Amino acid sequence: MKTLALFDFDGTLTQKDSLFEMAKHVSSPAIYYLKISVLIPVFTLMKTSLLSKQRGKEIFMQLFFGGMKIEDFNQQCYKFCNQRLPEIIRPKALIALQQYQENNTDTYIVSASPENWIKPWAEKLGIKVLSTQLEVQNLRITGRILGNNCNHEEKVNRIKNHINLTEYNHIVAYGDTKGDFPMLNLANTKHYKPFQ
């Protein structure tokens, strides 16, 4: 039996939202909380559905990352993967990932967070990543998302576009929010908030 394992990232594998943790990583505490206070109206509009989650996320990233050279940004992402990310990975989730790897199971992280700060960590474990991609213009991060935010149905679109599902006898998926439901529905075995 050939198995495919699909994992959401934020909240499923991690204890905290990596977007906010990455923003802290590139900012001093004073600057971080100042920018967060500026974003309060944006968060409010998102909660009331007057602003799309994708647009709200772009405004957040434009404020924290917009204008950074892609080379510098990726260096910061690499440091984040080495220094901060291991501290917020759920221990039970890491054990599950390692067990799949020991069994030579094809394992993917499918995430709404940008691939830049997931891939350096995931690739060390031999895990592939399908996630949100960031727009780059003139070798600088704009803060905008390239295409669609990898959440809800877009997760399934990415999976089907990059993986030949007919090769697998069994699909197992892990998630923790409504944004993961389409991916969970794709699987034979579903795990909702399994490591919490």
Side-chain angles (χ1 to χ4, degrees):
M1 178 179 288
K2 191 173 181 183
T3 300
L4 172 67
L6 304 169
F7 285 83
D8 168 57
F9 190 65
D10 294 287
T12 300
L13 296 180
T14 68
Q15 301 173 53
K16 297 182 178 181
D17 191 318
S18 67
L19 176 62
F20 286 84
E21 295 303 304
M22 182 62 190
K24 288 180 184 177
H25 178 75
V26 300
S27 311
S28 68
I31 294 298
Y32 173 77
Y33 288 108
L34 176 62
K35 289 183 177 181
I36 289 295
S37 67
V38 169
L39 288 167
I40 288 174
V42 175
F43 298 146
T44 302
L45 289 171
M46 289 170 67
K47 282 187 177 181
T48 57
S49 299
L50 294 174
L51 183 70
S52 72
K53 288 186 177 180
Q54 174 157 335
R55 185 61 193 129
K57 188 173 185 177
E58 288 179 327
I59 293 170
F60 184 104
M61 293 192 296
Q62 285 169 339
L63 188 59
F64 279 100
F65 314 130
M68 289 181 68
K69 291 181 179 178
I70 182 62
E71 182 179 358
D72 294 340
F73 179 71
N74 283 335
Q75 285 179 353
Q76 288 295 334
C77 290
Y78 186 81
K79 288 180 182 177
F80 175 77
C81 285
N82 286 328
Q83 298 170 7
R84 179 59 180 148
L85 191 52
E87 298 175 357
I88 64 171
I89 295 293
R90 297 181 186 275
K92 291 180 181 179
L94 184 59
I95 291 170
L97 285 171
Q98 291 170 337
Q99 288 175 338
Y100 280 117
Q101 293 308 96
E102 288 171 4
N103 293 326
N104 295 316
T105 301
D106 289 346
T107 308
Y108 285 78
I109 290 172
V110 187
S111 175
S113 282
E115 61 183 10
N116 308 67
W117 65 74
I118 301 175
K119 272 191 172 182
W121 177 81
E123 287 178 346
K124 285 183 179 180
L125 297 174
I127 297 168
K128 297 173 184 176
V129 177
L130 299 174
S131 64
T132 296
Q133 295 181 320
L134 299 181
E135 180 186 75
V136 178
Q137 289 184 353
N138 300 319
L139 301 179
R140 292 183 182 272
I141 295 288
T142 66
R144 292 188 293 270
I145 291 169
L146 192 64
N148 295 319
N149 190 37
C150 187
N151 205 6
H152 297 279
E153 290 295 339
E154 184 61 21
K155 288 197 172 191
V156 173
N157 293 338
R158 299 287 178 94
I159 291 165
K160 290 182 175 179
N161 286 337
H162 290 86
I163 306 171
N164 183 0
L165 298 180
T166 62
E167 294 181 0
Y168 300 94
N169 307 98
H170 191 78
I171 300 173
V172 56
Y174 296 76
D176 76 309
T177 66
K178 290 180 181 179
D180 299 316
F181 285 178
M183 181 174 76
L184 292 172
N185 290 334
L186 190 68
N188 307 105
T189 303
K190 307 165 179 60
H191 296 282
Y192 185 67
K193 299 185 178 181
F195 308 119
Q196 297 181 21

